[in-house]
Amino acid sequence: MTTDTIAAAPSRPLGRDDYKTLSLSALGGTLEFYDFVIFVFFSAVLGHLFFPSTLPDWMIQLQTLGIFAAGYLARPLGGIIIAHYGDKLGRKQMFTLSIFLMAVPTLVIGLLPTYETIGMAAPLLLLAMRVLQGAAIGGEMPGAWVFVSEHVPARHSGFAVGVLTAGICGGILLGSLIAIAINRSYAPEEISGFAWRIPFILGGVFGLVSVYLRRFLSETPVFQELAEKRALAKEMPVKTVIREHRAGCLLTGAYTWSLSTAVVVLILMTPTLLQKMYHIAPADALEANCVGTLMLVLGCGFFGWLADRVGMRLTLLFCWGGLALSAYHFFTALPGGVSYGELVFNYGLMGFFVGAIATMAIVGVRAFPPAIRYSGLSFSYNVAYAIFGGLTPVLTQLWLQKDALAGAHYVAVVSVLAMVLAFTSLGAYGWANAYRSK
């Protein structure tokens, strides 16, 4: 048997072990992504605690956001290194290592002394912890997608990846809810004094619990078969990826652009935009965003399930087309004024179609052969996210100066791109069947 035939688990119904794997993987993804994003919810507080108070406020915020961005810049390197060993030594070991590398820095951030105590060492330590977090998330997300897709039967792989993506997005919702709880339970002075540490310490403890729980997961059948047949990558996997699978890299990178735009513009930027451009009360904007994020979690699972039922091409056309239309519906309703109920409903509808991002992971997993799958997905996803995740807020903000519908226009552009790529054989059928299904 060649590596061409080692593509997925045999056809069978989902069993108890499959559901255990999905549950533990999704829970770990939720907690790990919570650890990664909780920083942004407390960036204003962290800035004033970890930098000199003599600096102008804009400079403090700029440097704090720079530390936050460092996590994104570290993703490609961390992802390539972790994925390399994931293709060489096994998916499970790196799957467990990545969450450990996220949990420890998160816990350390919660225990760090501030600038007032140790001076410039404080922001430098914060930066170091953020870089470690970025390296960890760079390996975790591609590794998690590969891990669950190789554990379940091939005809359920879309659902598995969708559920895992839903778990990861649940980390955003968890971070938002805990930030709201902290801000409602403590006065600003208490948050600056000690309460800001609570979400980081909780995240670190939860992450270490997830490390323990992942001990009960087994190696994927696909990797075990590769190892038994000595079909593992003979050279550095990323070399093979760049030399022989450029189409897979470009396809996955393009869908990553679509994913990053949907998340950054519609989930992360929109609450602030609602408050500044449309004068919607902060509480209303944040509550609507929570509903949108909850619907995003549900949408990820649904579109993963749909991909298994009707195929990748129809799913891509439906979910990305729905995202473009729902984004225009959401933003065009705002200038005339909307009630709280309309705001929540429209945000929830749009959030559900943001669940289209799960299709990026499904396409990416299927775009590479098993021997270099982890490295191929990790390289193309992390490099593209580092580029587009950083450029998207800047481009959107500049566009908003000229057009209030800039967010909807940008989302429509990447949605159309995702729909066009659905007509490629690699996008619709994956690496194993692309040419066979033409």
Side-chain angles (χ1 to χ4, degrees), residues 39-93:
F39 187 103
V40 76
F41 291 107
F42 291 90
S43 60
V45 177
L46 291 171
H48 289 287
L49 290 171
F50 283 84
F51 290 99
S53 58
T54 54
L55 290 175
D57 188 66
W58 68 269
M59 178 65 74
I60 290 175
Q61 290 306 306
L62 181 63
Q63 293 187 76
T64 306
L65 291 174
I67 289 179
F68 175 73
Y72 284 95
L73 296 176
R75 287 173 71 152
L77 181 60
I80 289 170
I81 294 172
I82 292 174
H84 170 82
Y85 289 104
D87 280 331
K88 289 284 192 179
L89 303 178
R91 321 301 200 200
K92 180 187 172 182
Q93 292 184 52

Short mmCIF file of all heavy atoms in Angstrom, two decimals, residues 39-93:
data_model
loop_
_atom_site.label_atom_id
_atom_site.label_comp_id
_atom_site.label_asym_id
_atom_site.label_seq_id
_atom_site.Cartn_x
_atom_site.Cartn_y
_atom_site.Cartn_z
N PHE A 39 -6.07 38.02 26.40
CA PHE A 39 -5.18 39.18 26.44
C PHE A 39 -5.87 40.43 25.89
O PHE A 39 -5.76 41.51 26.46
CB PHE A 39 -3.91 38.87 25.64
CG PHE A 39 -2.83 39.91 25.74
CD1 PHE A 39 -1.72 39.71 26.54
CD2 PHE A 39 -2.90 41.10 25.00
CE1 PHE A 39 -0.71 40.67 26.62
CE2 PHE A 39 -1.90 42.06 25.08
CZ PHE A 39 -0.81 41.84 25.90
N VAL A 40 -6.58 40.28 24.77
CA VAL A 40 -7.16 41.44 24.10
C VAL A 40 -8.28 42.07 24.93
O VAL A 40 -8.49 43.28 24.90
CB VAL A 40 -7.66 41.08 22.68
CG1 VAL A 40 -8.96 40.31 22.72
CG2 VAL A 40 -7.81 42.33 21.83
N PHE A 41 -8.99 41.25 25.72
CA PHE A 41 -10.08 41.78 26.54
C PHE A 41 -9.57 42.64 27.69
O PHE A 41 -10.32 43.46 28.24
CB PHE A 41 -10.93 40.63 27.08
CG PHE A 41 -11.73 39.91 26.03
CD1 PHE A 41 -11.36 38.64 25.61
CD2 PHE A 41 -12.82 40.50 25.43
CE1 PHE A 41 -12.09 37.97 24.63
CE2 PHE A 41 -13.55 39.85 24.45
CZ PHE A 41 -13.18 38.58 24.05
N PHE A 42 -8.30 42.45 28.08
CA PHE A 42 -7.74 43.21 29.19
C PHE A 42 -6.52 44.02 28.76
O PHE A 42 -5.68 44.39 29.59
CB PHE A 42 -7.36 42.25 30.33
CG PHE A 42 -8.55 41.64 31.01
CD1 PHE A 42 -9.09 40.43 30.56
CD2 PHE A 42 -9.17 42.29 32.07
CE1 PHE A 42 -10.20 39.88 31.17
CE2 PHE A 42 -10.30 41.74 32.68
CZ PHE A 42 -10.82 40.54 32.23
N SER A 43 -6.43 44.31 27.46
CA SER A 43 -5.25 45.01 26.94
C SER A 43 -5.11 46.42 27.54
O SER A 43 -4.00 46.88 27.80
CB SER A 43 -5.30 45.08 25.42
OG SER A 43 -6.46 45.78 24.97
N ALA A 44 -6.24 47.11 27.74
CA ALA A 44 -6.17 48.46 28.30
C ALA A 44 -5.59 48.45 29.71
O ALA A 44 -4.74 49.27 30.06
CB ALA A 44 -7.55 49.11 28.30
N VAL A 45 -6.03 47.50 30.52
CA VAL A 45 -5.52 47.38 31.90
C VAL A 45 -4.06 46.98 31.89
O VAL A 45 -3.23 47.55 32.62
CB VAL A 45 -6.35 46.35 32.69
CG1 VAL A 45 -5.79 46.17 34.10
CG2 VAL A 45 -7.81 46.77 32.76
N LEU A 46 -3.71 45.99 31.06
CA LEU A 46 -2.33 45.52 30.99
C LEU A 46 -1.38 46.64 30.58
O LEU A 46 -0.27 46.76 31.09
CB LEU A 46 -2.22 44.35 30.02
CG LEU A 46 -2.89 43.05 30.45
CD1 LEU A 46 -2.90 42.04 29.31
CD2 LEU A 46 -2.20 42.45 31.66
N GLY A 47 -1.82 47.48 29.65
CA GLY A 47 -0.97 48.56 29.18
C GLY A 47 -0.55 49.49 30.30
O GLY A 47 0.62 49.87 30.41
N HIS A 48 -1.50 49.85 31.15
CA HIS A 48 -1.19 50.79 32.24
C HIS A 48 -0.43 50.13 33.38
O HIS A 48 0.19 50.83 34.18
CB HIS A 48 -2.49 51.41 32.74
CG HIS A 48 -3.10 52.38 31.78
ND1 HIS A 48 -2.58 53.63 31.54
CD2 HIS A 48 -4.17 52.25 30.95
CE1 HIS A 48 -3.30 54.25 30.63
NE2 HIS A 48 -4.28 53.44 30.25
N LEU A 49 -0.46 48.80 33.46
CA LEU A 49 0.26 48.10 34.52
C LEU A 49 1.68 47.72 34.12
O LEU A 49 2.56 47.60 34.99
CB LEU A 49 -0.50 46.84 34.93
CG LEU A 49 -1.83 47.06 35.67
CD1 LEU A 49 -2.57 45.73 35.81
CD2 LEU A 49 -1.59 47.68 37.03
N PHE A 50 1.92 47.51 32.83
CA PHE A 50 3.21 46.98 32.39
C PHE A 50 4.09 48.00 31.67
O PHE A 50 5.17 47.65 31.20
CB PHE A 50 2.99 45.74 31.51
CG PHE A 50 2.65 44.51 32.31
CD1 PHE A 50 1.35 44.26 32.70
CD2 PHE A 50 3.65 43.63 32.69
CE1 PHE A 50 1.04 43.15 33.46
CE2 PHE A 50 3.34 42.50 33.44
CZ PHE A 50 2.04 42.26 33.84
N PHE A 51 3.61 49.25 31.55
CA PHE A 51 4.43 50.30 30.94
C PHE A 51 4.46 51.52 31.86
O PHE A 51 3.56 51.70 32.70
CB PHE A 51 3.88 50.68 29.56
CG PHE A 51 4.07 49.60 28.53
CD1 PHE A 51 3.03 48.73 28.22
CD2 PHE A 51 5.30 49.43 27.90
CE1 PHE A 51 3.21 47.72 27.29
CE2 PHE A 51 5.47 48.43 26.96
CZ PHE A 51 4.44 47.56 26.66
N PRO A 52 5.47 52.37 31.71
CA PRO A 52 5.57 53.55 32.58
C PRO A 52 4.36 54.46 32.46
O PRO A 52 3.87 54.72 31.35
CB PRO A 52 6.84 54.26 32.08
CG PRO A 52 7.59 53.22 31.31
CD PRO A 52 6.58 52.28 30.75
N SER A 53 3.88 54.95 33.57
CA SER A 53 2.71 55.84 33.57
C SER A 53 3.02 57.20 32.96
O SER A 53 2.11 57.97 32.64
CB SER A 53 2.19 56.02 35.00
OG SER A 53 3.22 56.55 35.82
N THR A 54 4.32 57.50 32.80
CA THR A 54 4.73 58.79 32.22
C THR A 54 4.54 58.84 30.71
O THR A 54 4.57 59.91 30.10
CB THR A 54 6.21 59.07 32.55
OG1 THR A 54 7.01 57.95 32.13
CG2 THR A 54 6.39 59.27 34.05
N LEU A 55 4.36 57.67 30.08
CA LEU A 55 4.17 57.63 28.63
C LEU A 55 2.78 58.13 28.26
O LEU A 55 1.82 57.97 29.03
CB LEU A 55 4.34 56.20 28.11
CG LEU A 55 5.74 55.59 28.13
CD1 LEU A 55 5.69 54.13 27.70
CD2 LEU A 55 6.69 56.38 27.23
N PRO A 56 2.62 58.74 27.07
CA PRO A 56 1.28 59.13 26.61
C PRO A 56 0.39 57.89 26.47
O PRO A 56 0.87 56.78 26.19
CB PRO A 56 1.54 59.76 25.24
CG PRO A 56 2.99 60.10 25.23
CD PRO A 56 3.67 59.11 26.11
N ASP A 57 -0.91 58.10 26.65
CA ASP A 57 -1.84 56.96 26.62
C ASP A 57 -1.79 56.23 25.27
O ASP A 57 -1.84 55.01 25.23
CB ASP A 57 -3.26 57.46 26.90
CG ASP A 57 -4.24 56.32 27.06
OD1 ASP A 57 -4.10 55.56 28.04
OD2 ASP A 57 -5.13 56.17 26.19
N TRP A 58 -1.68 56.99 24.17
CA TRP A 58 -1.66 56.35 22.84
C TRP A 58 -0.42 55.47 22.68
O TRP A 58 -0.47 54.42 22.04
CB TRP A 58 -1.72 57.39 21.73
CG TRP A 58 -0.50 58.27 21.61
CD1 TRP A 58 -0.29 59.47 22.22
CD2 TRP A 58 0.69 57.99 20.86
NE1 TRP A 58 0.95 59.97 21.90
CE2 TRP A 58 1.58 59.08 21.05
CE3 TRP A 58 1.09 56.93 20.03
CZ2 TRP A 58 2.83 59.14 20.46
CZ3 TRP A 58 2.34 56.99 19.43
CH2 TRP A 58 3.19 58.08 19.64
N MET A 59 0.70 55.90 23.28
CA MET A 59 1.92 55.11 23.20
C MET A 59 1.80 53.81 24.01
O MET A 59 2.27 52.75 23.58
CB MET A 59 3.10 55.94 23.70
CG MET A 59 4.44 55.20 23.70
SD MET A 59 5.00 54.76 22.02
CE MET A 59 5.53 56.37 21.42
N ILE A 60 1.17 53.92 25.16
CA ILE A 60 0.96 52.73 25.99
C ILE A 60 0.11 51.70 25.24
O ILE A 60 0.44 50.51 25.18
CB ILE A 60 0.29 53.11 27.32
CG1 ILE A 60 1.28 53.89 28.20
CG2 ILE A 60 -0.21 51.86 28.06
CD1 ILE A 60 0.67 54.43 29.49
N GLN A 61 -0.98 52.19 24.64
CA GLN A 61 -1.86 51.28 23.92
C GLN A 61 -1.17 50.69 22.68
O GLN A 61 -1.36 49.51 22.35
CB GLN A 61 -3.15 52.00 23.51
CG GLN A 61 -4.07 52.32 24.67
CD GLN A 61 -4.40 51.08 25.49
OE1 GLN A 61 -4.86 50.06 24.96
NE2 GLN A 61 -4.15 51.13 26.80
N LEU A 62 -0.38 51.50 22.00
CA LEU A 62 0.34 51.03 20.82
C LEU A 62 1.31 49.91 21.20
O LEU A 62 1.39 48.87 20.52
CB LEU A 62 1.10 52.19 20.17
CG LEU A 62 1.89 51.84 18.90
CD1 LEU A 62 0.95 51.39 17.80
CD2 LEU A 62 2.71 53.06 18.44
N GLN A 63 2.06 50.10 22.28
CA GLN A 63 3.01 49.09 22.70
C GLN A 63 2.31 47.83 23.19
O GLN A 63 2.78 46.71 22.97
CB GLN A 63 3.93 49.65 23.79
CG GLN A 63 4.85 50.75 23.28
CD GLN A 63 5.87 51.19 24.30
OE1 GLN A 63 6.86 50.50 24.54
NE2 GLN A 63 5.64 52.34 24.91
N THR A 64 1.17 47.99 23.85
CA THR A 64 0.41 46.83 24.31
C THR A 64 -0.12 46.02 23.14
O THR A 64 -0.04 44.79 23.12
CB THR A 64 -0.77 47.29 25.19
OG1 THR A 64 -0.28 48.12 26.25
CG2 THR A 64 -1.48 46.08 25.80
N LEU A 65 -0.65 46.73 22.13
CA LEU A 65 -1.13 46.03 20.94
C LEU A 65 0.02 45.39 20.16
O LEU A 65 -0.15 44.35 19.53
CB LEU A 65 -1.90 47.00 20.04
CG LEU A 65 -3.25 47.48 20.59
CD1 LEU A 65 -3.86 48.54 19.70
CD2 LEU A 65 -4.22 46.31 20.76
N GLY A 66 1.20 46.01 20.25
CA GLY A 66 2.38 45.41 19.63
C GLY A 66 2.72 44.07 20.27
O GLY A 66 3.08 43.11 19.58
N ILE A 67 2.61 44.00 21.60
CA ILE A 67 2.85 42.73 22.30
C ILE A 67 1.78 41.72 21.91
O ILE A 67 2.07 40.53 21.69
CB ILE A 67 2.88 42.96 23.82
CG1 ILE A 67 4.15 43.72 24.21
CG2 ILE A 67 2.80 41.64 24.58
CD1 ILE A 67 4.27 44.03 25.68
N PHE A 68 0.54 42.17 21.79
CA PHE A 68 -0.54 41.27 21.36
C PHE A 68 -0.26 40.74 19.96
O PHE A 68 -0.41 39.54 19.69
CB PHE A 68 -1.88 42.02 21.37
CG PHE A 68 -3.03 41.22 20.83
CD1 PHE A 68 -3.57 40.17 21.56
CD2 PHE A 68 -3.58 41.50 19.58
CE1 PHE A 68 -4.63 39.42 21.06
CE2 PHE A 68 -4.63 40.76 19.08
CZ PHE A 68 -5.16 39.73 19.83
N ALA A 69 0.18 41.63 19.06
CA ALA A 69 0.47 41.22 17.68
C ALA A 69 1.64 40.26 17.60
O ALA A 69 1.72 39.44 16.68
CB ALA A 69 0.74 42.45 16.82
N ALA A 70 2.57 40.35 18.56
CA ALA A 70 3.73 39.46 18.55
C ALA A 70 3.30 37.99 18.59
O ALA A 70 3.97 37.11 18.05
CB ALA A 70 4.65 39.77 19.72
N GLY A 71 2.16 37.74 19.23
CA GLY A 71 1.65 36.37 19.26
C GLY A 71 1.30 35.87 17.88
O GLY A 71 1.54 34.70 17.55
N TYR A 72 0.78 36.76 17.02
CA TYR A 72 0.46 36.36 15.66
C TYR A 72 1.72 36.14 14.82
O TYR A 72 1.80 35.23 14.01
CB TYR A 72 -0.42 37.42 14.99
CG TYR A 72 -1.86 37.39 15.46
CD1 TYR A 72 -2.30 38.22 16.49
CD2 TYR A 72 -2.77 36.51 14.90
CE1 TYR A 72 -3.61 38.18 16.94
CE2 TYR A 72 -4.08 36.46 15.32
CZ TYR A 72 -4.49 37.30 16.35
OH TYR A 72 -5.79 37.24 16.78
N LEU A 73 2.72 37.00 15.05
CA LEU A 73 3.95 36.88 14.28
C LEU A 73 4.71 35.61 14.63
O LEU A 73 5.46 35.07 13.80
CB LEU A 73 4.84 38.11 14.53
CG LEU A 73 4.26 39.44 14.06
CD1 LEU A 73 5.18 40.59 14.44
CD2 LEU A 73 4.02 39.43 12.56
N ALA A 74 4.54 35.10 15.85
CA ALA A 74 5.22 33.88 16.27
C ALA A 74 4.53 32.62 15.77
O ALA A 74 5.11 31.53 15.83
CB ALA A 74 5.32 33.84 17.80
N ARG A 75 3.32 32.77 15.25
CA ARG A 75 2.55 31.58 14.85
C ARG A 75 3.21 30.76 13.74
O ARG A 75 3.28 29.53 13.86
CB ARG A 75 1.14 32.00 14.42
CG ARG A 75 0.25 32.39 15.57
CD ARG A 75 -1.08 32.95 15.13
NE ARG A 75 -1.93 31.91 14.56
CZ ARG A 75 -3.26 31.96 14.60
NH1 ARG A 75 -3.87 32.98 15.18
NH2 ARG A 75 -3.98 31.01 14.05
N PRO A 76 3.70 31.39 12.66
CA PRO A 76 4.28 30.56 11.59
C PRO A 76 5.45 29.71 12.06
O PRO A 76 5.52 28.51 11.75
CB PRO A 76 4.71 31.59 10.54
CG PRO A 76 3.84 32.77 10.78
CD PRO A 76 3.65 32.81 12.27
N LEU A 77 6.39 30.30 12.80
CA LEU A 77 7.56 29.54 13.24
C LEU A 77 7.16 28.42 14.19
O LEU A 77 7.59 27.27 14.03
CB LEU A 77 8.56 30.48 13.93
CG LEU A 77 9.86 29.82 14.42
CD1 LEU A 77 10.61 29.18 13.26
CD2 LEU A 77 10.73 30.84 15.15
N GLY A 78 6.32 28.75 15.16
CA GLY A 78 5.86 27.71 16.09
C GLY A 78 5.10 26.61 15.37
O GLY A 78 5.29 25.43 15.65
N GLY A 79 4.25 27.01 14.42
CA GLY A 79 3.47 26.03 13.68
C GLY A 79 4.33 25.11 12.84
O GLY A 79 4.11 23.89 12.79
N ILE A 80 5.36 25.66 12.18
CA ILE A 80 6.24 24.84 11.33
C ILE A 80 7.02 23.84 12.17
O ILE A 80 7.14 22.66 11.82
CB ILE A 80 7.20 25.75 10.53
CG1 ILE A 80 6.42 26.51 9.45
CG2 ILE A 80 8.32 24.94 9.89
CD1 ILE A 80 7.22 27.61 8.78
N ILE A 81 7.55 24.29 13.32
CA ILE A 81 8.35 23.40 14.17
C ILE A 81 7.49 22.29 14.76
O ILE A 81 7.84 21.11 14.70
CB ILE A 81 9.05 24.21 15.28
CG1 ILE A 81 10.08 25.16 14.68
CG2 ILE A 81 9.71 23.27 16.29
CD1 ILE A 81 10.69 26.12 15.68
N ILE A 82 6.35 22.66 15.33
CA ILE A 82 5.48 21.66 15.95
C ILE A 82 4.94 20.69 14.90
O ILE A 82 4.87 19.49 15.12
CB ILE A 82 4.34 22.35 16.72
CG1 ILE A 82 4.91 23.10 17.94
CG2 ILE A 82 3.28 21.34 17.17
CD1 ILE A 82 3.90 23.93 18.69
N ALA A 83 4.56 21.24 13.73
CA ALA A 83 4.03 20.38 12.66
C ALA A 83 5.10 19.42 12.14
O ALA A 83 4.80 18.27 11.79
CB ALA A 83 3.49 21.24 11.53
N HIS A 84 6.35 19.89 12.07
CA HIS A 84 7.45 19.03 11.62
C HIS A 84 7.50 17.76 12.46
O HIS A 84 7.56 16.64 11.94
CB HIS A 84 8.77 19.80 11.71
CG HIS A 84 9.98 18.94 11.50
ND1 HIS A 84 10.44 18.61 10.24
CD2 HIS A 84 10.82 18.33 12.38
CE1 HIS A 84 11.52 17.83 10.35
NE2 HIS A 84 11.77 17.66 11.64
N TYR A 85 7.48 17.93 13.77
CA TYR A 85 7.55 16.76 14.65
C TYR A 85 6.23 16.00 14.69
O TYR A 85 6.20 14.81 14.97
CB TYR A 85 7.98 17.19 16.06
CG TYR A 85 9.44 17.61 16.09
CD1 TYR A 85 9.80 18.95 16.16
CD2 TYR A 85 10.46 16.66 16.02
CE1 TYR A 85 11.13 19.34 16.16
CE2 TYR A 85 11.79 17.03 16.01
CZ TYR A 85 12.12 18.38 16.08
OH TYR A 85 13.44 18.74 16.07
N GLY A 86 5.13 16.71 14.38
CA GLY A 86 3.85 16.02 14.29
C GLY A 86 3.81 15.04 13.13
O GLY A 86 3.20 13.97 13.21
N ASP A 87 4.48 15.39 12.03
CA ASP A 87 4.57 14.48 10.88
C ASP A 87 5.63 13.40 11.08
O ASP A 87 5.57 12.34 10.46
CB ASP A 87 4.89 15.27 9.61
CG ASP A 87 3.65 15.94 9.01
OD1 ASP A 87 2.54 15.41 9.19
OD2 ASP A 87 3.80 17.01 8.39
N LYS A 88 6.61 13.68 11.95
CA LYS A 88 7.70 12.74 12.17
C LYS A 88 7.47 11.80 13.36
O LYS A 88 7.73 10.59 13.28
CB LYS A 88 9.01 13.51 12.41
CG LYS A 88 9.57 14.22 11.18
CD LYS A 88 10.23 13.23 10.24
CE LYS A 88 11.06 13.94 9.18
NZ LYS A 88 11.74 12.98 8.27
N LEU A 89 6.98 12.37 14.46
CA LEU A 89 6.87 11.61 15.71
C LEU A 89 5.45 11.22 16.08
O LEU A 89 5.26 10.30 16.89
CB LEU A 89 7.48 12.42 16.87
CG LEU A 89 8.94 12.86 16.71
CD1 LEU A 89 9.36 13.69 17.92
CD2 LEU A 89 9.84 11.64 16.54
N GLY A 90 4.48 11.93 15.55
CA GLY A 90 3.10 11.58 15.88
C GLY A 90 2.25 12.80 16.18
O GLY A 90 2.74 13.82 16.67
N ARG A 91 0.95 12.68 15.87
CA ARG A 91 0.03 13.80 16.08
C ARG A 91 -0.22 14.02 17.58
O ARG A 91 -0.26 15.15 18.05
CB ARG A 91 -1.31 13.56 15.39
CG ARG A 91 -1.29 12.89 14.03
CD ARG A 91 -0.51 13.61 12.98
NE ARG A 91 -0.91 13.18 11.64
CZ ARG A 91 -0.18 13.34 10.56
NH1 ARG A 91 1.03 13.89 10.65
NH2 ARG A 91 -0.61 12.94 9.38
N LYS A 92 -0.40 12.94 18.33
CA LYS A 92 -0.82 13.06 19.72
C LYS A 92 0.21 13.81 20.56
O LYS A 92 -0.15 14.67 21.38
CB LYS A 92 -1.08 11.68 20.32
CG LYS A 92 -1.52 11.75 21.78
CD LYS A 92 -1.61 10.39 22.43
CE LYS A 92 -1.88 10.53 23.92
NZ LYS A 92 -1.93 9.23 24.61
N GLN A 93 1.49 13.49 20.41
CA GLN A 93 2.52 14.12 21.24
C GLN A 93 2.53 15.64 21.04
O GLN A 93 2.59 16.40 22.01
CB GLN A 93 3.90 13.55 20.89
CG GLN A 93 4.08 12.09 21.28
CD GLN A 93 5.50 11.63 20.99
OE1 GLN A 93 6.47 12.25 21.40
NE2 GLN A 93 5.62 10.53 20.27
#
